[in-house]
């Protein structure tokens, strides 16, 4: 038998979650006919069907699924086949109530939603393995099978559990990490506050304590929980890898999700897929979501797949604003611009029952008459036009460090000088770079190849290891420009303050020492003055820093309490430069400052006159595809090179070509894609599109 080409698809993926098991049989063929008309080529199913696949212990029913897969194959529709393991059935949970997850306060969560499992539960894991084996054995050769969709959104509801089984796994994990009980005591510094353990059995998962907990214990618990879910993921991956080698495996990520270290998850799967739900009610959501798209394309340095998104409103925000006309397309093509090879939706047909009955779908409650159906049809045609873009890379010359140790350690209750959140600082720095027209990749430290970038930004790198400092130093020596934000190089991987204080292993690279962190009260007006003369009022954070002799001060504090002390420094090293920004800068001064830094580093930046219009370039080395996306409900103008081809024209007035350039009028939420020959293999180069 000839094995069909499973992946990548020869075009952009288009489709979504389909839950035929939730609908009577009559609907199946009708849906498939409509999907075919619409151009659906990929479906995720059956994500939540465990009780339908195994109605009682060991009684597997897969014929209905075979019938559906056969019908889809006959219609030319491929399947990301879900292993269905995110919803253990009631009979299983009731037979083994100990598999239900326990909260930090000791409450055991009951059945009645999804993800009703403790990730460590041996019985749950055994049943997961059994179901995965059944599906892989029965459907591994099925011609409709394109991908395995393992479980669903790990950690969406449950990533942590404080039960006894988890506590025992945590102890084993700690012994592996620290070698011995003495190693754990030393790593956690347990002599402080009388926390010394004399037997490993005394160590528990961090439940509710009388006062502040040991930060190193909490950080290790975060790492353990992420690794524990990863172990669950690997259980399925290994079975699928063995039984169906050659079928790519993925699980759907959730952007910059706090709980799981996606670098480690991506390393063990074959394809990065992601669920994205930017809020249509927030005019800046396209900016923030772009940061997570940068992570997705960087996790494996390859195209990724938007496997879930909403056709219109979701049903889990306090106020669920629908997408305006055109916004479905703008959101979907934004993901494509940022490296997704397709756009898929949750879900095909709107549920009439259950918690998601008000969640939008391609077929809303009005069926084919729904507005989302019409908008999805248009998108399907757009994606077909964009088929040549599939497989290409995003041009980017700037990367942001994304490091889960720092994300986890900067907890709101971490007894720090003041609350500081990685996410808030990352979004702030990214918003500035996005306004400069830059598509920002993500890098892991150590691990990623930094030499591909002109500028690397670490908004805050609270936890810094020697290896990370070395990777950054090598990058700067090699000609890179590094921007390190406040409160970096503070602690080692055990959350112990580096000897001599921050910035610890970054001290030599940055050429500064931090004497004290100096968080600001809301009422403080700590001025930061740049060497250009520009002045701003600092935001929430400042530091008393002492620069070494070979360091230039590029901004200083003015007025009390840090009068005349350096606020931002630059140290030139080898061919590059390393900046340390000790102050919290508001966006309106961070943006022009980063503009200058990037321009000096040779990055092609332009301050966008209209931050609602996003320009992102994908390239396959021979041809560049420039996406111009209007994220606003008002029309916008853009100008491109005179010789650019229009691959995808926006609705409304066609672009006008003059000797001076191509004028494009973008209607509200309009998108244009231009095509031109690649002039350079460097991913840094971007085209001049004026907005
Ligand atoms: C998540 C889940 C889906 C669905 C959507 C709704 O992404 O994976 O099953 O619940 O949210 O927004
Ligand atoms: Zn547990």
């Amino acid at each position: 038998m000839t094995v069909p080409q499973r992946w990548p698809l020869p075009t952009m993926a288009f489709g979504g979650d389909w839950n035929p098991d939730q609908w009577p049989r009559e609907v199946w063929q009708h849906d498939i006919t409509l999907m075919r008309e619409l151009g659906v080529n990929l479906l995720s199913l059956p994500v939540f069907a465990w009780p339908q696949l195994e109605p009682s212990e060991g009684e597997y029913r897969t014929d209905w699924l075979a019938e559906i897969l056969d019908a889809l194959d006959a219609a030319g529709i491929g399947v990301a086949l879900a292993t269905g393991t995110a919803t253990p059935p009631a009979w299983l949970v009731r037979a083994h109530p100990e598999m239900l997850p326990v909260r930090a306060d000791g409450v055991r969560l009951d059945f009645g939603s999804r993800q009703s499992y403790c990730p460590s539960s041996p019985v749950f894991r055994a049943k997961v393995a059994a179901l995965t084996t059944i599906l892989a054995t029965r459907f591994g050769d099925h011609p409709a099978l394109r991908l395995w969709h393992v479980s669903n959104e790990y950690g969406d509801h449950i990533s942590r559990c404080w039960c006894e089984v988890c506590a025992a796994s945590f102890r084993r994990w700690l012994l592996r990490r620290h070698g011995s009980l003495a190693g754990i005591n030393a790593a956690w510094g347990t002599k402080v506050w009388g926390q010394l353990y004399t037997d490993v059995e005394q160590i528990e998962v961090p439940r509710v304590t009388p006062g502040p907990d040991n930060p190193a214990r909490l950080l290790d618990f975060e790492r353990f929980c992420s690794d524990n879910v990863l172990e669950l993921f690997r259980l399925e991956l290994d079975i699928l890898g063995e039984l169906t080698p050659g079928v790519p495996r993925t699980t759907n990520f959730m952007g910059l999700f706090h709980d799981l270290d996606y670098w480690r998850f991506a390393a063990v799967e074959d394809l990065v897929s992601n669920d994205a739900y930017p809020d249509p009610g927030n005019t800046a959501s396209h900016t923030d979501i772009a940061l997570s798209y940068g992570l997705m394309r960087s996790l494996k340095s390859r195209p990724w797949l938007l496997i879930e998104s909403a056709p219109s409103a979701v049903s889990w925000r306090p106020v669920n604003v629908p997408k305006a006309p055109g916004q479905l397309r703008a959101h979907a093509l934004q993901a494509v611009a940022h490296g997704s090879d397709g756009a898929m939706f949750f879900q095909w047909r709107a549920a009439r029952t259950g918690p998601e009955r008000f969640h939008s779908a391609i077929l809303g409650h009005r069926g084919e008459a729904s507005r989302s159906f019409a908008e999805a049809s248009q998108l399907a045609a757009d994606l077909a036009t964009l088929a040549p873009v599939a497989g290409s890379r995003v041009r980017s010359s700037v990367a942001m460090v994304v490091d889960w140790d720092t994300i986890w350690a900067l907890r709101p209750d971490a007894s720090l000088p003041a609350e500081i959140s990685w996410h808030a600082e990352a979004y702030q720095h990214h918003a500035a770079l996005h306004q400069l027209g830059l598509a920002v990749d993500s890098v892991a430290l150590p691990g990623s190849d930094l030499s591909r970038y002109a500028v690397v930004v670490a908004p805050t790198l609270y936890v810094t290891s020697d290896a990370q400092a070395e990777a950054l130093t090598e990058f700067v020596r090699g000609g890179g420009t590094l921007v390190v934000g406040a409160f970096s190089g503070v602690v080692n991987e055990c959350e112990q303050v580096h000897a001599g204080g921050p910035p610890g292993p970054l001290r030599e690279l940055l050429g500064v020492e931090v004497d004290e962190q100096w968080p600001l009260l809301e009422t403080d007006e700590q001025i930061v003055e740049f060497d250009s003369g520009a002045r701003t009022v600092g935001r929430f954070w400042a530091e008393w820093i002492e620069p070494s002799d070979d360091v230039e001060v590029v901004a200083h504090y003015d007025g009390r309490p840090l009068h005349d002390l350096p606020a931002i420094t630059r140290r030139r090293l080898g061919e590059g430069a390393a900046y340390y920004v000790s102050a919290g800068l508001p966006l309106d001064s961070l943006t022009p400052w980063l503009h200058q830094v990037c321009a000096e580093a040779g990055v092609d930046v332009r301050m966008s006159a209209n931050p609602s219009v996003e320009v992102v370039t994908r390239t396959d080395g021979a041809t560049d595809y420039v996406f111009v996306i209007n994220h606003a409900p008002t029309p916008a103008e853009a100008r491109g090179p005179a010789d650019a081809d229009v691959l995808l024209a926006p609705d409304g007035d066609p672009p006008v070509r003059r000797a001076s350039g191509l004028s494009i009028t973008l209607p509200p939420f309009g998108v244009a894609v231009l095509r031109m020959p690649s002039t350079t293999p460097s991913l840094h180069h971007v085209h001049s599109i004026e907005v």
Side-chain angles (χ1 to χ4, degrees), residues 13-57:
F14 170 68
D17 279 53
W18 186 38
N19 293 298
D21 48 296
Q22 298 171 15
W23 292 93
R25 234 188 182 71
E26 310 80 84
V27 178
W28 299 358
Q29 199 49 57
H30 176 70
D31 275 2
I32 292 174
T33 307
L34 273 182
M35 286 171 190
R36 210 183 157 154
E37 276 170 32
L38 204 63
V40 167
N41 56 23
L42 190 65
L43 294 169
S44 265
L45 73 121
V47 181
F48 303 114
W50 190 342
Q52 284 83 289
L53 292 165
E54 190 184 2
S56 67
E57 172 73 55

Short mmCIF file of all heavy atoms in Angstrom, two decimals, residues 13-57:
data_model
loop_
_atom_site.label_atom_id
_atom_site.label_comp_id
_atom_site.label_asym_id
_atom_site.label_seq_id
_atom_site.Cartn_x
_atom_site.Cartn_y
_atom_site.Cartn_z
N ALA A 13 -3.29 24.95 5.72
CA ALA A 13 -4.35 24.18 6.38
C ALA A 13 -5.54 25.10 6.65
O ALA A 13 -5.38 26.27 7.01
CB ALA A 13 -3.83 23.61 7.69
N PHE A 14 -6.72 24.56 6.47
CA PHE A 14 -7.94 25.30 6.79
C PHE A 14 -8.97 24.32 7.32
O PHE A 14 -9.22 23.28 6.70
CB PHE A 14 -8.49 26.02 5.56
CG PHE A 14 -9.86 26.60 5.79
CD1 PHE A 14 -10.04 27.66 6.67
CD2 PHE A 14 -10.98 26.07 5.17
CE1 PHE A 14 -11.31 28.19 6.92
CE2 PHE A 14 -12.25 26.59 5.41
CZ PHE A 14 -12.41 27.64 6.29
N GLY A 15 -9.55 24.63 8.46
CA GLY A 15 -10.55 23.73 9.03
C GLY A 15 -10.72 24.04 10.51
O GLY A 15 -10.69 25.20 10.90
N GLY A 16 -10.86 23.00 11.32
CA GLY A 16 -11.03 23.26 12.75
C GLY A 16 -11.40 22.01 13.51
O GLY A 16 -11.32 20.89 12.99
N ASP A 17 -11.85 22.22 14.75
CA ASP A 17 -12.34 21.12 15.57
C ASP A 17 -13.72 20.72 15.07
O ASP A 17 -14.58 21.58 14.86
CB ASP A 17 -12.51 21.57 17.03
CG ASP A 17 -11.21 21.57 17.81
OD1 ASP A 17 -10.25 22.19 17.32
OD2 ASP A 17 -11.18 21.00 18.90
N TRP A 18 -13.91 19.45 14.93
CA TRP A 18 -15.24 18.96 14.57
C TRP A 18 -15.59 17.87 15.59
O TRP A 18 -14.74 17.01 15.87
CB TRP A 18 -15.24 18.38 13.15
CG TRP A 18 -16.60 17.98 12.64
CD1 TRP A 18 -17.78 18.62 12.86
CD2 TRP A 18 -16.90 16.84 11.82
NE1 TRP A 18 -18.80 17.97 12.21
CE2 TRP A 18 -18.29 16.85 11.57
CE3 TRP A 18 -16.14 15.81 11.27
CZ2 TRP A 18 -18.94 15.89 10.80
CZ3 TRP A 18 -16.78 14.85 10.49
CH2 TRP A 18 -18.16 14.89 10.25
N ASN A 19 -16.78 17.95 16.13
CA ASN A 19 -17.18 17.00 17.16
C ASN A 19 -18.41 16.21 16.71
O ASN A 19 -19.48 16.33 17.30
CB ASN A 19 -17.46 17.75 18.47
CG ASN A 19 -16.19 18.35 19.05
OD1 ASN A 19 -15.25 17.64 19.38
ND2 ASN A 19 -16.15 19.67 19.14
N PRO A 20 -18.27 15.38 15.66
CA PRO A 20 -19.43 14.68 15.13
C PRO A 20 -20.08 13.76 16.16
O PRO A 20 -21.29 13.53 16.12
CB PRO A 20 -18.86 13.86 13.97
CG PRO A 20 -17.40 13.76 14.23
CD PRO A 20 -17.03 15.00 14.97
N ASP A 21 -19.26 13.27 17.10
CA ASP A 21 -19.81 12.38 18.13
C ASP A 21 -20.83 13.10 19.01
O ASP A 21 -21.57 12.47 19.74
CB ASP A 21 -18.66 11.84 18.99
CG ASP A 21 -17.72 12.94 19.45
OD1 ASP A 21 -17.06 13.56 18.58
OD2 ASP A 21 -17.65 13.21 20.66
N GLN A 22 -20.85 14.44 18.94
CA GLN A 22 -21.83 15.19 19.73
C GLN A 22 -23.11 15.45 18.93
O GLN A 22 -24.01 16.14 19.40
CB GLN A 22 -21.22 16.52 20.20
CG GLN A 22 -20.01 16.32 21.11
CD GLN A 22 -19.25 17.60 21.41
OE1 GLN A 22 -19.75 18.70 21.20
NE2 GLN A 22 -18.04 17.46 21.94
N TRP A 23 -23.16 14.94 17.70
CA TRP A 23 -24.29 15.23 16.81
C TRP A 23 -24.87 13.94 16.25
O TRP A 23 -24.14 12.96 16.08
CB TRP A 23 -23.84 16.12 15.64
CG TRP A 23 -23.46 17.48 16.12
CD1 TRP A 23 -22.22 17.89 16.47
CD2 TRP A 23 -24.34 18.58 16.35
NE1 TRP A 23 -22.24 19.19 16.90
CE2 TRP A 23 -23.55 19.64 16.84
CE3 TRP A 23 -25.71 18.78 16.20
CZ2 TRP A 23 -24.08 20.88 17.18
CZ3 TRP A 23 -26.25 20.02 16.52
CH2 TRP A 23 -25.43 21.06 17.01
N PRO A 24 -26.18 13.96 15.93
CA PRO A 24 -26.76 12.76 15.33
C PRO A 24 -26.14 12.49 13.97
O PRO A 24 -25.66 13.40 13.29
CB PRO A 24 -28.25 13.09 15.21
CG PRO A 24 -28.36 14.56 15.42
CD PRO A 24 -27.15 15.03 16.15
N ARG A 25 -26.17 11.23 13.60
CA ARG A 25 -25.59 10.77 12.35
C ARG A 25 -25.99 11.57 11.12
O ARG A 25 -25.17 11.80 10.23
CB ARG A 25 -26.07 9.34 12.14
CG ARG A 25 -25.01 8.39 11.91
CD ARG A 25 -25.58 7.05 11.52
NE ARG A 25 -24.48 6.15 11.37
CZ ARG A 25 -23.77 5.69 12.40
NH1 ARG A 25 -24.09 6.00 13.62
NH2 ARG A 25 -22.72 4.91 12.19
N GLU A 26 -27.28 12.01 11.07
CA GLU A 26 -27.77 12.72 9.87
C GLU A 26 -26.91 13.96 9.59
O GLU A 26 -26.80 14.41 8.44
CB GLU A 26 -29.22 13.24 10.02
CG GLU A 26 -30.27 12.28 10.50
CD GLU A 26 -30.26 12.09 12.00
OE1 GLU A 26 -30.86 12.90 12.74
OE2 GLU A 26 -29.63 11.11 12.42
N VAL A 27 -26.37 14.51 10.64
CA VAL A 27 -25.61 15.76 10.46
C VAL A 27 -24.25 15.49 9.80
O VAL A 27 -23.71 16.35 9.12
CB VAL A 27 -25.42 16.44 11.84
CG1 VAL A 27 -24.60 17.71 11.73
CG2 VAL A 27 -26.76 16.74 12.48
N TRP A 28 -23.71 14.29 9.97
CA TRP A 28 -22.34 14.03 9.54
C TRP A 28 -22.14 14.31 8.05
O TRP A 28 -21.26 15.08 7.67
CB TRP A 28 -21.92 12.58 9.83
CG TRP A 28 -21.95 12.19 11.27
CD1 TRP A 28 -22.25 13.00 12.32
CD2 TRP A 28 -21.67 10.91 11.82
NE1 TRP A 28 -22.18 12.30 13.50
CE2 TRP A 28 -21.82 11.00 13.22
CE3 TRP A 28 -21.30 9.67 11.28
CZ2 TRP A 28 -21.62 9.93 14.08
CZ3 TRP A 28 -21.09 8.59 12.13
CH2 TRP A 28 -21.26 8.72 13.52
N GLN A 29 -22.97 13.66 7.21
CA GLN A 29 -22.74 13.80 5.78
C GLN A 29 -23.02 15.23 5.31
O GLN A 29 -22.29 15.77 4.48
CB GLN A 29 -23.58 12.80 4.99
CG GLN A 29 -23.07 12.55 3.57
CD GLN A 29 -21.55 12.25 3.50
OE1 GLN A 29 -21.06 11.32 4.14
NE2 GLN A 29 -20.80 13.07 2.76
N HIS A 30 -24.03 15.83 5.92
CA HIS A 30 -24.34 17.22 5.59
C HIS A 30 -23.12 18.11 5.88
O HIS A 30 -22.71 18.93 5.05
CB HIS A 30 -25.55 17.67 6.41
CG HIS A 30 -25.91 19.10 6.23
ND1 HIS A 30 -26.47 19.58 5.06
CD2 HIS A 30 -25.77 20.17 7.05
CE1 HIS A 30 -26.66 20.89 5.18
NE2 HIS A 30 -26.24 21.27 6.37
N ASP A 31 -22.54 17.90 7.04
CA ASP A 31 -21.36 18.69 7.43
C ASP A 31 -20.20 18.45 6.45
O ASP A 31 -19.52 19.39 6.02
CB ASP A 31 -20.91 18.32 8.85
CG ASP A 31 -21.69 19.10 9.91
OD1 ASP A 31 -22.58 19.88 9.53
OD2 ASP A 31 -21.41 18.93 11.11
N ILE A 32 -20.00 17.20 6.11
CA ILE A 32 -18.86 16.88 5.22
C ILE A 32 -19.06 17.52 3.84
O ILE A 32 -18.11 18.07 3.26
CB ILE A 32 -18.66 15.35 5.14
CG1 ILE A 32 -18.19 14.83 6.50
CG2 ILE A 32 -17.64 15.00 4.05
CD1 ILE A 32 -18.08 13.32 6.61
N THR A 33 -20.30 17.49 3.37
CA THR A 33 -20.57 18.13 2.07
C THR A 33 -20.26 19.63 2.14
O THR A 33 -19.60 20.20 1.26
CB THR A 33 -22.05 17.90 1.67
OG1 THR A 33 -22.29 16.49 1.74
CG2 THR A 33 -22.34 18.40 0.28
N LEU A 34 -20.71 20.25 3.23
CA LEU A 34 -20.45 21.69 3.38
C LEU A 34 -18.95 21.99 3.50
O LEU A 34 -18.44 22.95 2.93
CB LEU A 34 -21.11 22.21 4.66
CG LEU A 34 -22.55 22.66 4.59
CD1 LEU A 34 -22.98 23.18 5.96
CD2 LEU A 34 -22.68 23.79 3.56
N MET A 35 -18.27 21.15 4.25
CA MET A 35 -16.82 21.34 4.43
C MET A 35 -16.11 21.28 3.09
O MET A 35 -15.20 22.06 2.82
CB MET A 35 -16.25 20.24 5.33
CG MET A 35 -16.59 20.38 6.78
SD MET A 35 -16.05 18.86 7.61
CE MET A 35 -16.80 19.07 9.20
N ARG A 36 -16.55 20.34 2.31
CA ARG A 36 -15.94 20.17 1.00
C ARG A 36 -16.14 21.41 0.15
O ARG A 36 -15.21 21.92 -0.49
CB ARG A 36 -16.59 18.97 0.35
CG ARG A 36 -15.66 18.29 -0.55
CD ARG A 36 -16.35 17.18 -1.23
NE ARG A 36 -15.59 16.96 -2.43
CZ ARG A 36 -15.53 15.83 -3.06
NH1 ARG A 36 -16.21 14.81 -2.62
NH2 ARG A 36 -14.80 15.72 -4.13
N GLU A 37 -17.38 21.91 0.18
CA GLU A 37 -17.68 23.13 -0.59
C GLU A 37 -16.81 24.30 -0.13
O GLU A 37 -16.37 25.12 -0.91
CB GLU A 37 -19.14 23.52 -0.38
CG GLU A 37 -20.08 22.78 -1.30
CD GLU A 37 -21.54 23.03 -0.89
OE1 GLU A 37 -21.86 24.13 -0.37
OE2 GLU A 37 -22.32 22.09 -1.06
N LEU A 38 -16.61 24.32 1.18
CA LEU A 38 -15.86 25.45 1.75
C LEU A 38 -14.35 25.32 1.53
O LEU A 38 -13.63 26.29 1.67
CB LEU A 38 -16.15 25.48 3.26
CG LEU A 38 -15.99 26.81 3.96
CD1 LEU A 38 -16.98 27.81 3.38
CD2 LEU A 38 -16.24 26.66 5.46
N GLY A 39 -13.88 24.13 1.25
CA GLY A 39 -12.44 23.94 1.07
C GLY A 39 -11.72 23.53 2.34
O GLY A 39 -10.50 23.74 2.46
N VAL A 40 -12.45 22.95 3.28
CA VAL A 40 -11.79 22.45 4.49
C VAL A 40 -10.84 21.32 4.10
O VAL A 40 -11.21 20.43 3.33
CB VAL A 40 -12.86 21.93 5.49
CG1 VAL A 40 -12.21 21.12 6.61
CG2 VAL A 40 -13.65 23.10 6.07
N ASN A 41 -9.61 21.38 4.62
CA ASN A 41 -8.68 20.28 4.32
C ASN A 41 -8.10 19.62 5.56
O ASN A 41 -7.35 18.65 5.46
CB ASN A 41 -7.57 20.74 3.37
CG ASN A 41 -6.82 21.94 3.92
OD1 ASN A 41 -6.81 22.19 5.13
ND2 ASN A 41 -6.18 22.71 3.04
N LEU A 42 -8.43 20.15 6.75
CA LEU A 42 -7.91 19.53 7.98
C LEU A 42 -8.89 19.73 9.13
O LEU A 42 -9.35 20.85 9.38
CB LEU A 42 -6.55 20.14 8.34
CG LEU A 42 -5.77 19.44 9.45
CD1 LEU A 42 -5.36 18.02 9.04
CD2 LEU A 42 -4.53 20.23 9.83
N LEU A 43 -9.17 18.64 9.85
CA LEU A 43 -10.06 18.71 11.01
C LEU A 43 -9.37 18.08 12.20
O LEU A 43 -8.64 17.10 12.05
CB LEU A 43 -11.34 17.91 10.74
CG LEU A 43 -12.27 18.42 9.65
CD1 LEU A 43 -13.33 17.37 9.36
CD2 LEU A 43 -12.93 19.74 10.07
N SER A 44 -9.65 18.63 13.40
CA SER A 44 -9.20 18.00 14.64
C SER A 44 -10.37 17.25 15.23
O SER A 44 -11.40 17.85 15.51
CB SER A 44 -8.80 19.07 15.66
OG SER A 44 -7.45 19.34 15.61
N LEU A 45 -10.23 15.96 15.43
CA LEU A 45 -11.28 15.18 16.06
C LEU A 45 -10.73 13.83 16.48
O LEU A 45 -9.69 13.43 15.96
CB LEU A 45 -12.46 15.00 15.08
CG LEU A 45 -12.24 14.03 13.90
CD1 LEU A 45 -13.28 12.93 13.97
CD2 LEU A 45 -12.35 14.75 12.58
N PRO A 46 -11.35 13.13 17.39
CA PRO A 46 -12.46 13.49 18.26
C PRO A 46 -11.88 13.88 19.63
O PRO A 46 -11.51 13.04 20.44
CB PRO A 46 -13.24 12.17 18.36
CG PRO A 46 -12.16 11.10 18.25
CD PRO A 46 -10.95 11.72 17.61
N VAL A 47 -11.78 15.19 19.85
CA VAL A 47 -10.98 15.69 20.98
C VAL A 47 -11.56 15.27 22.34
O VAL A 47 -10.82 14.99 23.27
CB VAL A 47 -10.83 17.22 20.89
CG1 VAL A 47 -9.97 17.75 22.04
CG2 VAL A 47 -10.19 17.62 19.57
N PHE A 48 -12.88 15.22 22.43
CA PHE A 48 -13.47 14.99 23.76
C PHE A 48 -14.32 13.71 23.81
O PHE A 48 -15.31 13.65 24.53
CB PHE A 48 -14.31 16.21 24.17
CG PHE A 48 -13.51 17.49 24.18
CD1 PHE A 48 -13.78 18.51 23.28
CD2 PHE A 48 -12.46 17.66 25.07
CE1 PHE A 48 -13.03 19.68 23.28
CE2 PHE A 48 -11.70 18.82 25.06
CZ PHE A 48 -11.98 19.84 24.17
N ALA A 49 -13.95 12.72 23.03
CA ALA A 49 -14.86 11.58 22.83
C ALA A 49 -14.50 10.33 23.63
O ALA A 49 -15.00 9.25 23.33
CB ALA A 49 -14.92 11.24 21.34
N TRP A 50 -13.65 10.44 24.62
CA TRP A 50 -13.25 9.22 25.34
C TRP A 50 -14.45 8.38 25.77
O TRP A 50 -14.47 7.15 25.51
CB TRP A 50 -12.34 9.59 26.52
CG TRP A 50 -11.66 8.46 27.20
CD1 TRP A 50 -12.00 7.11 27.15
CD2 TRP A 50 -10.51 8.53 28.05
NE1 TRP A 50 -11.14 6.36 27.91
CE2 TRP A 50 -10.21 7.20 28.49
CE3 TRP A 50 -9.70 9.57 28.51
CZ2 TRP A 50 -9.15 6.92 29.34
CZ3 TRP A 50 -8.64 9.29 29.36
CH2 TRP A 50 -8.36 7.98 29.76
N PRO A 51 -15.50 8.97 26.38
CA PRO A 51 -16.62 8.12 26.79
C PRO A 51 -17.32 7.43 25.61
O PRO A 51 -17.91 6.37 25.77
CB PRO A 51 -17.59 9.08 27.49
CG PRO A 51 -16.78 10.30 27.79
CD PRO A 51 -15.70 10.38 26.76
N GLN A 52 -17.25 8.06 24.44
CA GLN A 52 -17.87 7.43 23.26
C GLN A 52 -16.93 6.35 22.69
O GLN A 52 -17.38 5.43 22.02
CB GLN A 52 -18.16 8.47 22.17
CG GLN A 52 -19.38 9.38 22.45
CD GLN A 52 -19.04 10.55 23.36
OE1 GLN A 52 -18.81 10.36 24.55
NE2 GLN A 52 -19.01 11.77 22.83
N LEU A 53 -15.64 6.49 22.92
CA LEU A 53 -14.68 5.52 22.41
C LEU A 53 -14.52 4.33 23.35
O LEU A 53 -14.16 3.24 22.93
CB LEU A 53 -13.31 6.18 22.21
CG LEU A 53 -13.23 7.22 21.09
CD1 LEU A 53 -11.96 8.07 21.23
CD2 LEU A 53 -13.25 6.55 19.72
N GLU A 54 -14.74 4.58 24.64
CA GLU A 54 -14.61 3.51 25.63
C GLU A 54 -15.75 3.67 26.63
O GLU A 54 -15.58 4.22 27.72
CB GLU A 54 -13.24 3.60 26.34
CG GLU A 54 -12.94 2.38 27.21
CD GLU A 54 -11.62 2.48 28.00
OE1 GLU A 54 -10.93 3.51 27.91
OE2 GLU A 54 -11.32 1.51 28.73
N PRO A 55 -16.94 3.19 26.27
CA PRO A 55 -18.10 3.43 27.13
C PRO A 55 -18.05 2.70 28.45
O PRO A 55 -18.73 3.10 29.41
CB PRO A 55 -19.29 2.96 26.28
CG PRO A 55 -18.73 2.21 25.13
CD PRO A 55 -17.29 2.60 24.98
N SER A 56 -17.27 1.64 28.54
CA SER A 56 -17.05 1.03 29.85
C SER A 56 -15.65 0.42 29.82
O SER A 56 -15.05 0.27 28.74
CB SER A 56 -18.12 -0.03 30.15
OG SER A 56 -17.97 -1.11 29.25
N GLU A 57 -15.16 0.09 30.97
CA GLU A 57 -13.78 -0.39 31.11
C GLU A 57 -13.40 -1.42 30.04
O GLU A 57 -14.02 -2.49 29.95
CB GLU A 57 -13.62 -1.00 32.51
CG GLU A 57 -12.31 -1.72 32.76
CD GLU A 57 -11.12 -0.77 32.92
OE1 GLU A 57 -11.19 0.12 33.77
OE2 GLU A 57 -10.13 -0.92 32.16
#
